[in-house]
Amino acid sequence: MSVSAVPATGTLYVVATPIGNLDDISARALRVLGEVSLIAAEDTRHSLRLLQHFGIATPLAACHEHNERDQGGRFLARLQAGEDVALISDAGTPLISDPGFHLVGAARAAGVRVVPVPGACALIAALSAAGLPSDRFAFEGFLPAKSVGRRARLEQVREDARTLIYYEAPHRLLESLADMRDVFGGERLAVLGRELTKTFETLQGLPLAELHDWVASDSNQQRGECVILVAGWRAPEGDDALSAEALRVLDLLLGEMPVKRAAALAAEITGVRKNLLYQAALDRQKSS
Ligand code: SAM
């Protein structure tokens, strides 16, 4: 028996598709989609329209969040038999708030080559045109649907210096902007990227309080797909520079010891300057 009787495994291509404008599909994506044996798609009916538009007749099979774990084995078997498979989602880059994580993980664990075919991604498109710092950013995905959970998640990154990026459904846009305004402060700059690459594309940058009111006053802004970008936290100057954590430590110590000692110990624990903490401790005593 020759060595070639053992089939080499195929390749799993993770292919980005457009987020609106069909011209955004890459030449490489079209070639790969036309050449693979099978396309694993989030919604086969949706993707069929895209493939028909480009004259691609490759068979499709469903790979969505409800069947991904169960059906993963089926795709893996085809890959292990030497066939190439492409993974696509309804729009943009698979795995980015879209299915594919389990399949890619299983393929890599099985030693199958996984190749990205990059292209459109709403968060990157929004960030590239928002004018907010892009050297460091945090993609926070979708926020919880209920306000309590949403506010708790926002609180976790209130003092994060990176640009924050959220996906949001249009019917929750206003509520989310209101919670962001309340947690991050109405002055914090934010940018709404709506219907990117489509006819009614909007990129509006305003402080959160104004952005909320602007969206509230125009129902057109409450439709379509949207990304919200929020400028990262910046430490205020002067006495206000104390973080909530430094003040929490200071308050705990003030309950146990004299002002001077509490300020010195809080400085050691938090790394904040002693003078600043001492002044804050005096202010707190005056106002209590
Ligand atoms: N995988 C996609 C990507 O690469 O961006 C994201 C899929 S996620 C299920 C869909 C969300 O992405 C939408 O609710 C919206 O927040 C955002 N999105 C997708 N297309 C968009 C567009 N054209 N303009 C603005 N946001 C978009």
Side-chain angles (χ1 to χ4, degrees), residues 190-201:
V191 176
L192 173 67
R194 208 179 57 80
E195 292 291 88
L196 298 172
T197 78
K198 305 186 206 178
T199 311
F200 297 106
E201 178 178 88

Side-chain angles (χ1 to χ4, degrees), residues 159-269:
E159 294 187 0
D160 193 320
R162 297 170 295 177
T163 295
L164 303 168
I165 306 176
Y166 296 92
Y167 282 167
E168 193 48 283
H171 61 279
R172 278 202 281 270
L173 176 61
L174 259 187
E175 295 169 36
S176 284
L177 285 174
D179 284 343
M180 288 177 181
R181 174 199 61 201
D182 296 347
V183 173
F184 297 142
E187 299 294 301
R188 183 99 67 106
L189 188 61
V191 176
L192 173 67
R194 208 179 57 80
E195 292 291 88
L196 298 172
T197 78
K198 305 186 206 178
T199 311
F200 297 106
E201 178 178 88
T202 309
L203 270 160
Q204 176 67 287
L206 286 169
L208 272 167
E210 288 176 45
L211 187 62
H212 170 273
D213 294 350
W214 181 77
V215 172
S217 69
D218 180 357
S219 61
N220 283 327
Q221 302 304 331
Q222 297 161 39
R223 300 200 181 104
E225 298 191 280
C226 54
V227 184
I228 308 167
L229 304 95
V230 183
W233 181 76
R234 285 194 44 201
E237 305 290 323
D239 286 1
D240 293 340
L242 290 180
S243 69
E245 180 56 13
L247 288 174
R248 193 182 69 83
V249 171
L250 182 64
D251 284 339
L252 281 175
L253 296 173
L254 279 172
E256 302 294 326
M257 58 191 76
V259 173
K260 220 169 171 175
R261 179 88 191 106
L265 208 55
E268 260 180 59
I269 295 170

Side-chain angles (χ1 to χ4, degrees), residues 23-277:
D23 287 349
D24 288 338
I25 199 151
S26 74
R28 184 168 169 231
L30 291 177
R31 182 176 57 74
V32 167
L33 292 174
E35 284 176 3
V36 293
S37 306
L38 181 70
I39 298 175
E42 182 181 5
D43 177 343
T44 51
R45 274 190 308 178
H46 177 96
S47 293
L48 186 61
R49 286 196 293 274
L50 177 84
L51 296 180
Q52 280 175 342
H53 176 86
F54 289 109
I56 293 171
T58 307
L60 282 160
C63 178
H64 45 69
E65 58 177 331
H66 304 298
N67 78 350
E68 195 189 337
R69 284 177 204 241
D70 302 338
Q71 292 294 308
R74 174 179 160 207
F75 297 116
L76 210 53
R78 302 275 298 254
L79 287 158
Q80 285 173 321
E83 292 183 87
D84 291 339
V85 174
L87 169 69
I88 61 175
S89 61
D90 286 355
T93 303
L95 279 82
I96 307 301
S97 294
D98 265 344
F101 168 69
H102 296 291
L103 179 58
V104 167
R108 288 182 60 84
V112 169
R113 186 165 166 242
V114 180
V115 170
V117 181
C121 179
L123 79 101
I124 297 297
L127 182 65
S128 72
L132 293 176
S134 53
D135 51 343
R136 294 179 67 216
F137 61 89
F139 174 52
E140 288 284 301
F142 284 96
L143 284 163
K146 296 206 175 105
S147 187
V148 176
R150 192 159 56 219
R151 282 175 179 248
R153 279 269 303 274
L154 293 172
E155 283 290 351
Q156 289 171 4
V157 290
R158 193 163 62 88
E159 294 187 0
D160 193 320
R162 297 170 295 177
T163 295
L164 303 168
I165 306 176
Y166 296 92
Y167 282 167
E168 193 48 283
H171 61 279
R172 278 202 281 270
L173 176 61
L174 259 187
E175 295 169 36
S176 284
L177 285 174
D179 284 343
M180 288 177 181
R181 174 199 61 201
D182 296 347
V183 173
F184 297 142
E187 299 294 301
R188 183 99 67 106
L189 188 61
V191 176
L192 173 67
R194 208 179 57 80
E195 292 291 88
L196 298 172
T197 78
K198 305 186 206 178
T199 311
F200 297 106
E201 178 178 88
T202 309
L203 270 160
Q204 176 67 287
L206 286 169
L208 272 167
E210 288 176 45
L211 187 62
H212 170 273
D213 294 350
W214 181 77
V215 172
S217 69
D218 180 357
S219 61
N220 283 327
Q221 302 304 331
Q222 297 161 39
R223 300 200 181 104
E225 298 191 280
C226 54
V227 184
I228 308 167
L229 304 95
V230 183
W233 181 76
R234 285 194 44 201
E237 305 290 323
D239 286 1
D240 293 340
L242 290 180
S243 69
E245 180 56 13
L247 288 174
R248 193 182 69 83
V249 171
L250 182 64
D251 284 339
L252 281 175
L253 296 173
L254 279 172
E256 302 294 326
M257 58 191 76
V259 173
K260 220 169 171 175
R261 179 88 191 106
L265 208 55
E268 260 180 59
I269 295 170
T270 62
V272 175
R273 273 192 300 124
K274 193 164 68 182
N275 289 353
L276 223 51
L277 287 159

